[in-house]
Amino acid sequence: MSRKRSLLALSLTALLTLAACSGKNDNNANTAEGADGTASGPVQSQAASESQDAIAEAIRKGTYKFETPVKITTVKATDSTMKYKNGESAENNVHTKWARDELGIDIKYLWQVPGDQFATKMRLMLTSEESLPDVLMTEDMTLLNELIQSGKYKDITEDYEKYASPTIKEIYNSNPLMWSQVTYDGKKMAFPNFAHAGNDNGVMWIRQDWLDKLGMKAPTTFEELEVLMQAMLDKKPGGSDKIVPLGVSLGSGGSNPSIFNGWLGESTWVFGPSGTIPNQWLEKDGELVHGSTRPEMKEGLTRLRDWYDKGYISKEAGLHDENKLAELIGQGKVGIVVAPYWLPNWPIPDLEKNVPGATMNPYPLPSLNGKAAARDSTFLRGGLIVKKDFEHTDALFLYLNRIFEKGKTGSEFENGWYEDYDYTVKADGTISVDDADIPGGKVGPAKYLLMEPKNPFTNLKTLAKMSRGAEPSSAEEERALRTNPKVLKAGEYVDDGWQANTYVPNAFTGSPTATMQTKNGILSKLEGETFLGIIYGKKSMDDFDKFVKEWNKIGGEQVTEEANEWYQKSK
């Protein structure tokens, strides 16, 4: 919104009552005071109420500005992608300046630490009774749960209803899952944070140059896939014996403890057609069951062991995490990998640079007995919590209301966050997001925000729409049309998969239960060791049944009970 519109809103407020001119913006005020400081009667009380209604309306519209700047304290987890330009810093940059100038909001950082130190730092603040930040964004659900249970952070249900913009409510009320991770006893205890839905959903990427050399088509079934993998071994289209027909990251670890659910080289699609998804909660006959403990797992494990024995997957697959697999792809050693739509951004460019003529193209997941199925990666990513004694939740929502207009035609963030930061306007009037076009280089101002606004379902839907040949009707679609065509096509395959129910969502979307917090680590370790042992041939399939019994004994049975308690309440 423009500064002119902000001033118009303030003028309206001033006309309604003199109280608004004070700039105090006390959300709890419901009486007007006379010159002697006493309440001056029902007329003035009504005027004060009307004043607060007008302020709330201006906040919802994003046109308000605090005359006396409101300070919001926070903390930040940093990473290697946090970059600044023009001598700026986390606390003094193009975005914090915008918040001060446009909204009257002063964002202050109590501290910043690398992401792997963030949870520890927050827990130390909590146990030592230090003054906590007014707002805090974290994707760590265990930490978020601890902070909420501490009683230091508040229910934002009423503030959301009073101050959230129509844009925010349209997004956050569009799907019952939106609030599922952060709702406690019916109370909205955090403002949900999202990733793009389907961001890590797998499609099949194949070395197109190898396909062409072999004179083969992309496989559509498991049977055809096995023929292709055998041909890669026999005919050596890469000119070497040191190739991996199918790249999998069975040592994935990272943010997902399951050996099958990594964000690159996942293998849940091997199990999906048999009727289960590893390391994911599924609904069966009205109750939640853990996919890794289902007898259907045996078929997928048998198939992976067979592929391991035949050399279709690396003998060191259990040591390969996602980053190691990306390295192998970049070196030209991997023929096929199931991975997200964004692979043309990384690591395919490394492959094309290192191996002349090499590239990978996307294809739909193969089917078994007419069915393809894999995990649907969650878009729920923790949330933003507000300290109980913070008096200006209205300021937080004013801030959120403005940034959630990003990408809308006519908004101040229509083309990106800030000109000559993440985009530039070229001499011919066109918009460019290319690093080479942006004076001084490109940086990502989204990292400067209290949280990055997202409608989780628009990104892939937009990519799919453009891939199918639709004419762009917004700045967002114009930007999508300039995306790598392979990204667009892969996005289309993910959207096709949603429509065909190929991607199976996790049926448990609540915050971690008490036993999950204490036992998930040891349960995942037992699962990984057992399944990897079976694939390597060091354990028999009988060990699967032993695993299920042990899993239930050391905490799985209690975890299942708690998951079902949540599930019954969530219906």
Side-chain angles (χ1 to χ4, degrees):
M1 295 292 178
S2 68
R3 201 171 300 179
K4 181 178 180 181
R5 292 183 67 183
S6 298
L7 292 173
L8 285 173
L10 286 173
S11 298
L12 171 62
T13 306
L15 287 172
L16 286 169
T17 174
L18 292 174
C21 298
S22 68
K24 291 165 67 175
N25 304 311
D26 182 356
N27 296 326
N28 297 317
N30 56 18
T31 62
E33 294 182 350
D36 61 355
T38 61
S40 53
V43 175
Q44 288 85 349
S45 296
Q46 181 179 355
S49 177
E50 289 173 349
S51 165
Q52 293 304 308
D53 289 344
I55 291 172
E57 176 65 15
I59 287 172
R60 287 192 293 271
K61 290 181 176 179
T63 57
Y64 195 67
K65 179 180 178 180
F66 291 90
E67 291 183 3
T68 302
V70 171
K71 182 170 73 172
I72 298 179
T73 62
T74 190
V75 293
K76 183 175 282 292
T78 61
D79 59 44
S80 61
T81 67
M82 289 283 294
K83 298 178 180 178
Y84 301 95
K85 62 190 301 184
N86 304 327
E88 295 176 350
S89 63
E91 200 161 85
N92 184 20
N93 57 62
V94 64
H95 180 68
T96 57
K97 185 177 186 299
W98 168 84
R100 282 193 300 270
D101 294 348
E102 293 292 321
L103 309 179
I105 293 175
D106 199 6
I107 299 171
K108 295 292 184 184
Y109 288 91
L110 300 182
W111 47 258
Q112 304 170 67
V113 295
D116 59 355
Q117 301 174 27
F118 185 84
T120 300
K121 180 78 171 175
M122 276 308 307
R123 290 185 176 105
L124 286 172
M125 288 190 80
L126 192 62
T127 56
S128 62
E129 297 291 333
E130 291 183 53
S131 179
L132 297 167
D134 296 326
V135 302
L136 177 151
M137 218 302 293
T138 180
E139 296 184 8
D140 185 332
M141 282 305 302
T142 300
L143 175 63
L144 190 68
N145 199 39
E146 291 174 22
L147 291 168
I148 290 171
Q149 290 180 347
S150 74
K152 303 290 187 180
Y153 288 86
K154 68 180 179 180
D155 173 12
I156 63 166
T157 305
E158 290 186 9
D159 292 308
Y160 172 80
E161 293 302 328
K162 183 175 183 179
Y163 294 119
S165 70
T167 295
I168 286 178
K169 287 184 176 178
E170 181 181 0
I171 295 170
Y172 281 76
N173 297 351
S174 66
N175 188 304
L177 291 179
M178 300 296 204
W179 292 94
S180 59
Q181 274 197 334
V182 297
T183 300
Y184 294 69
D185 298 323
K187 300 175 182 178
K188 294 178 170 66
M189 295 302 297
F191 189 79
N193 180 60
F194 304 131
H196 292 303
N199 194 62
D200 292 341
N201 284 21
V203 299
M204 184 168 57
W205 293 89
I206 304 177
R207 280 285 296 272
Q208 189 63 45
D209 52 315
W210 289 6
L211 270 182
D212 295 341
K213 284 183 180 180
L214 292 169
M216 300 178 71
K217 294 182 179 180
T220 60
T221 67
F222 277 42
E223 292 82 4
E224 292 174 354
L225 173 63
E226 291 180 351
V227 170
L228 175 60
M229 292 191 292
Q230 189 63 51
M232 288 180 177
L233 288 179
D234 293 341
K235 299 184 180 180
K236 302 178 180 56
S240 170
D241 289 327
K242 297 180 180 179
I243 68 158
V244 179
L246 178 65
V248 292
S249 52
L250 298 181
S252 60
S255 59
N256 195 315
S258 169
I259 66 172
F260 304 122
N261 297 55
W263 44 262
L264 180 68
E266 67 120 301
S267 46
T268 65
W269 57 278
V270 179
F271 300 87
S274 301
T276 194
I277 302 292
N279 201 245
Q280 187 162 298
W281 292 95
L282 309 170
E283 192 275 332
K284 298 283 186 182
D285 301 322
E287 294 188 344
L288 295 189
V289 295
H290 197 270
S292 295
T293 66
R294 302 297 295 170
E296 294 90 341
M297 282 288 297
K298 293 181 180 181
E299 186 174 350
L301 288 169
T302 299
R303 181 166 285 105
L304 282 175
R305 182 167 65 186
D306 180 54
W307 290 356
Y308 178 84
D309 290 341
K310 290 177 177 176
Y312 297 165
I313 62 178
S314 172
K315 297 300 181 185
E316 298 180 344
L319 300 176
H320 293 168
D321 63 7
E322 298 95 335
N323 289 310
K324 178 60 179 179
L325 181 57
E327 181 183 323
L328 294 174
I329 292 170
Q331 293 170 351
K333 296 179 179 179
V334 176
I336 306 161
V337 65
V338 171
Y341 71 95
W342 42 258
L343 218 65
N345 299 329
W346 178 79
I348 289 179
D350 293 339
L351 165 67
E352 295 173 341
K353 177 182 177 182
N354 295 331
V355 184
T359 193
M360 300 184 96
N361 285 346
Y363 295 94
L365 291 176
S367 64
L368 177 66
N369 299 324
K371 181 178 181 180
R375 61 90 188 261
D376 191 9
S377 54
T378 182
F379 60 87
L380 303 172
R381 291 289 191 275
L384 182 75
I385 53 177
V386 185
K387 194 166 65 169
K388 216 164 204 176
D389 60 2
F390 181 55
E391 297 179 352
H392 272 291
T393 313
D394 55 350
L396 174 63
F397 273 96
L398 172 63
Y399 171 89
L400 294 172
N401 291 341
R402 284 284 281 269
I403 65 174
F404 265 83
E405 295 300 305
K406 181 181 183 290
K408 283 195 171 184
T409 301
S411 85
E412 62 198 312
F413 304 121
E414 176 179 354
N415 297 312
W417 286 114
Y418 298 100
E419 185 175 349
D420 292 340
Y421 284 78
D422 58 332
Y423 76 94
T424 194
V425 181
K426 298 172 73 173
D428 61 4
T430 60
I431 306 299
S432 174
V433 296
D434 292 338
D435 193 294
D437 292 333
I438 298 174
K442 185 177 183 178
V443 297
K447 293 285 186 178
Y448 310 165
L449 277 59
L450 294 178
M451 70 175 289
E452 185 177 357
K454 286 188 181 79
N455 181 335
F457 297 102
T458 57
N459 183 55
L460 272 164
K461 292 288 185 182
T462 300
L463 296 178
K465 180 180 177 181
M466 294 301 98
S467 178
R468 295 180 182 123
E471 289 294 323
S473 59
S474 67
E476 186 177 25
E477 291 179 354
E478 288 278 5
R479 285 194 298 275
L481 196 59
R482 295 192 290 270
T483 301
N484 187 310
K486 293 183 182 183
V487 171
L488 296 180
K489 180 55 70 173
E492 181 182 345
Y493 290 146
V494 174
D495 190 52
D496 289 343
W498 276 333
Q499 295 180 41
N501 296 318
T502 297
Y503 298 108
V504 182
N506 194 335
F508 180 86
T509 58
S511 60
T513 67
T515 307
M516 287 179 187
Q517 291 181 50
T518 58
K519 296 294 186 179
N520 269 0
I522 191 172
L523 291 173
S524 294
K525 185 173 186 291
L526 173 66
E527 176 183 323
E529 290 176 349
T530 302
F531 293 166
L532 198 58
I534 291 173
I535 293 168
Y536 277 10
K538 295 179 179 179
K539 292 179 180 289
S540 72
M541 199 55 68
D542 291 338
D543 285 293
F544 175 83
D545 298 316
K546 295 176 183 177
F547 152 74
V548 174
K549 291 179 181 178
E550 183 68 12
W551 187 89
N552 280 303
K553 181 181 178 181
I554 64 175
E557 184 175 2
Q558 182 63 32
V559 164
T560 303
E561 286 183 17
E562 293 172 358
N564 275 286
E565 287 175 8
W566 168 87
Y567 187 60
Q568 297 306 320
K569 290 178 182 178
S570 70
K571 290 183 177 180

